[in-house]
Amino acid sequence: MQVTTVQTTPIEGQKPGTSGLRKKTRVFMGRHYLENFVQSIFDGIGGAAGKTFVLGGDGRFFNKRAAQVIMRMAAANGASRVIVGQNALLSTPAASHLIRLNRTDGGIIMSASHNPGGEDEDFGVKFNMANGGPAPENVTNAMFDRTKSITAYKMLEAQDVDISKVGEKSLGDLRVTVVDPVADYADLMETLFDFDAIRQLIAGGFSISFDAMCAITGPYAKEILEKRLGAPDGTVVHGTPLPDFGGMHPDPNPTWAHELMDRMNGPNAPDFGAASDGDGDRNMIVGRNIYVSPSDSLAVLAANGHLAPGYRAGLAGVARSMPTSTAADRVAEKMGMAHYETPTGWKFFGNLMDDGRVTLCGEESFGTGSDHVREKDGLWAVLLWLNILAVRKLSVAEMLQDHWATYGRNYYSRHDFEAIETDKADALMNALRKRVETLPGETFGDRKVSAADDYAYTDPVDGSLSNHQGIRVIFDDGARFVIRLSGTGTSGATMRLYLEALETDPARFDQDPQDALADIIASAHEIAQIKTHTGRERPDVMT
Ligand code: G1P
Ligand code: ZN
């Protein structure tokens, strides 16, 4: 088999965002597009020679084709071994686990996460490091720099490798190990949770509905919930991964997982509902007639995580992304646990976990995880909830009431304004950035601004600095709003407005979050001049 060096020229816009490079699938399928980026990944990490990588994706359109190209390029670049999921499938957390389990030099994950899939939708590629976590900014910057100067990539001339069956294959000098995408991950879950207790809960009639949204978690959820934990067939719905996710938008939030929401709010609702996203790292938790906001979920897991065997020794600490509500901080303070605030994106948690500072991490964007891998993990969160409910013998609604009674309720919501013209979004951010300097001391409604800034983060482990991570405006009673632009969108700009207010009066725990936050919402619109800049008055999605 022959290695050819293919001449190419840089392609604009190959800058990895919050979570790898995401583009329209047709863009990725364009001439040299995938190849340029993959070569830049290899070059950005100092070459692939002699290295071992994990490879897999969420099954979306172009996943299998891309996997073959990546394997041929890995072979041509001298990699020694690729561990690939059968049929090129791997959830993001399972890929992270396989990297750690096999002590590989990293992994390439093909996914655009919660973005819709299909020929006319989105595709993505990201690189994870040897610790199993997303590449940090200095590495993604090196990759991006390479995309701007690339002149050639290496390709092995070869037929496709058959990855439809588990086993050892070869591609030139590259060893290709095809693995069951589910087995190792499911085994890991058994080491963390009390499967007997959850099995008993289910056997006692506790009913579950898990919506895999025609994406990657279907096979994982069927194996774990239905096979290993004995939940009845049909517990997992939309359980077969499809290249276009069956036309679903695999983002587990009340808007996109509305079928699950209807079931949970309808007659004969199950006791527990959950959904996961395209690549299996997100989760939404719902009880009968009650929705658990991701920020509250993180706080509940922080307060009760030690009830699961894998965390019996207690949590070292908890970290949340800056826009995530401060509910988890309140738990940490009360329990004497360390707590950290980081910029948006899972990559910022890696150092804290590697350094043993935190066990549990979470984001308001339906992401929760622990140091069992270095990605957020949808099914893991579902299992931890089930383990906790099995021990505490409470319903989801009772868990939340109990939690709020102890810590207060952090009302929370995120408003997304999608597909805004980029220059308008930038103008809003620039104006707001200037405005924050003079905001402290000003009064809006009943509240006075106590602090406002353009959030910057210094990593306490390696000292690296990340600027411009979102504008936050904090009021004197702790209420706040944050505005930042999305780093994962693929058309125009998405502006995210995050809103939070703390309520400690139990008589006021049953408000609709939008009502409880109405004043903050109005102040945010006034301060950021959202309508003037964007023409928008109402968000496209509220979570
Ligand atoms: C979004 C979420 C962020 C998450 C990321 C990857 O990024 O807001 O919390 O880590 O997806 O799942 P954004 O589009 O806001 O940059
Ligand atoms: Zn995802």
Side-chain angles (χ1 to χ4, degrees), residues 17-20 22 112-115 126 251 277 279 281-282 321 323-324 343-347 349 362-367 375-376 414 416 484-489 494-496 498:
T18 312
S19 186
R22 287 190 199 165
S113 186
H114 50 287
N115 297 15
K126 70 170 181 171
D251 197 357
D277 73 328
D279 63 333
D281 57 358
R282 294 187 173 200
S321 66
T324 303
T344 298
W346 207 260
K347 59 188 169 207
F349 295 137
E363 293 193 274
E364 51 64 43
S365 53
F366 300 84
E375 288 277 5
K376 55 193 176 226
R414 182 176 106 184
D416 290 339
R484 61 178 282 280
L485 299 184
S486 158
T488 58
T494 294
M495 187 189 83
R496 305 199 195 283
Y498 309 81

